[in-house]
Amino acid sequence: MIYNDKPSYWGFLVSLVYPVRCFCCDGLINYGDYVCDDCRVEIEKCRNSRTKVVSFYGRRYNIHSPFVYMDAAESAVKLIKFTFSPDNAKPMGDEIAAKVRRLRERDFDIVTAVPFTKKDKLDREYNHAVLMAKRVSKRLSVPFDEKLLKKIRQTKRQHHLSGLERRTNLRGAFAARKDVRGKHILLIDDVVTTGATLCECADMLYRAGARKVTCATFAATKYSN
Ligand SMILES: [Zn+2]
C-alpha cells in the first residue's frame, strides 16, 4: 500500500527540525515513511472487506471505508483528531483514494468533506476530514471544493445517541451552498458509525441537484445501532 511519500530535499530539511512520526502510534520514523514497522503490520489487520449499507430517507447508501475502526486504525483517527498532526491526512487520504479508485462508478466531478461549524473550527486547528478530502482530490485528480456544504447548526455530541436520535439531532444541521446539478460528488469523512452524518449531508447535495453522491471514510465501526 501507499505508505511513503516522494522524498524531497526541502522535506528532508523540515524533517530535521520536525521529526516524522507514525500516523498510527506517533512514534518517530524515518523521513519519507508514514508508518512504523509495527503499525504497518497492525493496520493491515484492520482492513475492511465490507461496505456499510445505510438506508436514509428512502435512499440506499453504500459507504466505502478501507479500514474497520479498531486497534491501529482507531488510534490513527484519534491521533489526527486530538493532536496537531495535519500531515497524517496524507496516508489516510491515500488509503481512501485507493479504496474508491476500485469502484465501478468513479466518474467523480467534485470531492468534498463533511463540514465543521464555526464553533468546531474554534475548538480545533483544522478539519481533518477536509485535509483527507484534499489528499483524495489530489490523488484522483478531481477538484476539491470545501464550500459545497455548510454546517448551519451546532449539534449534540453523537456518541451516546441511538440511530434514530442521531438522525433527529442532525436534521437540518447542514445546508448545500451551491448548485451541484448533474454532478457526481465524492463526500469524505473520518469515521462512519450509523452513517447519519454522511447521509444527511448527501441528502442535502441531492436536494441541490447532485446526480450521485458517493460516501467514503477512512474507517467504519463494526456495528451500527
Ligand atoms: Zn506506529
Side-chain angles (χ1 to χ4, degrees):
M1 247 9 274
I2 321 144
Y3 282 138
N4 48 36
D5 214 350
K6 270 195 202 131
S8 72
Y9 184 62
W10 172 245
F12 175 72
L13 287 182
V14 170
S15 78
L16 297 177
V17 186
Y18 300 102
V20 184
R21 292 180 177 275
C22 168
F23 83 98
C24 296
C25 73
D26 211 28
L28 290 174
I29 48 175
N30 291 329
Y31 168 69
D33 285 344
Y34 284 137
V35 69
C36 73
D37 292 343
D38 290 346
C39 293
R40 193 187 300 270
V41 174
E42 289 307 312
I43 199 155
E44 287 307 318
K45 297 178 190 164
C46 308
R47 285 271 167 211
N48 184 15
S49 56
R50 300 173 64 177
T51 303
K52 197 168 262 199
V53 181
V54 181
S55 290
F56 195 84
Y57 295 109
R59 211 176 242 121
R60 215 176 83 121
Y61 293 90
N62 293 332
I63 301 169
H64 309 280
S65 318
F67 296 105
V68 175
Y69 188 65
M70 57 187 269
D71 306 333
E74 181 174 345
S75 133
V77 170
K78 288 181 174 162
L79 207 53
I80 193 168
K81 206 165 164 178
F82 300 118
T83 70
F84 184 77
S85 47
D87 275 355
N88 293 8
K90 290 178 183 174
M92 297 174 88
D94 286 350
E95 286 290 352
I96 300 172
K99 182 85 183 182
V100 298
R101 201 176 262 146
R102 290 196 287 267
L103 297 177
R104 195 149 26 107
E105 281 187 272
R106 50 176 188 274
D107 55 343
F108 312 114
D109 298 299
I110 311 170
V111 180
T112 195
V114 170
F116 266 3
T117 54
K118 275 193 185 141
K119 187 186 174 299
D120 295 330
K121 279 183 195 156
L122 289 176
D123 292 348
R124 306 257 173 85
E125 298 192 64
Y126 53 79
N127 178 346
H128 51 291
V130 165
L131 298 185
M132 286 182 214
K134 281 185 177 165
R135 182 71 172 190
V136 172
S137 141
K138 189 178 166 189
R139 284 290 184 211
L140 300 180
S141 303
V142 173
F144 171 75
D145 190 338
E146 191 176 345
K147 303 204 181 326
L148 288 195
L149 288 160
K150 189 178 182 184
K151 197 166 178 189
I152 50 177
R153 173 165 71 71
Q154 187 68 31
T155 46
K156 286 184 217 159
R157 294 192 81 82
Q158 305 242 81
H159 315 313
H160 306 297
L161 302 181
S162 73
L164 189 64
E165 285 167 337
R166 284 182 187 221
R167 286 187 182 198
T168 315
N169 180 35
L170 288 166
R171 200 64 186 154
F174 299 94
R177 300 210 293 185
K178 287 187 179 175
D179 184 349
V180 286
R181 216 165 299 168
K183 305 283 189 209
H184 181 182
I185 296 163
L186 176 60
L187 175 63
I188 307 290
D189 204 1
D190 57 348
V191 180
V192 54
T193 306
T194 64
T197 307
L198 278 164
C199 294
E200 179 68 29
C201 287
D203 195 48
M204 292 299 138
L205 293 170
Y206 276 118
R207 284 163 188 247
R211 171 172 57 85
K212 185 173 171 63
V213 182
T214 296
C215 300
T217 67
F218 175 74
T221 56
K222 268 187 197 158
Y223 310 102
S224 50
N225 48 10

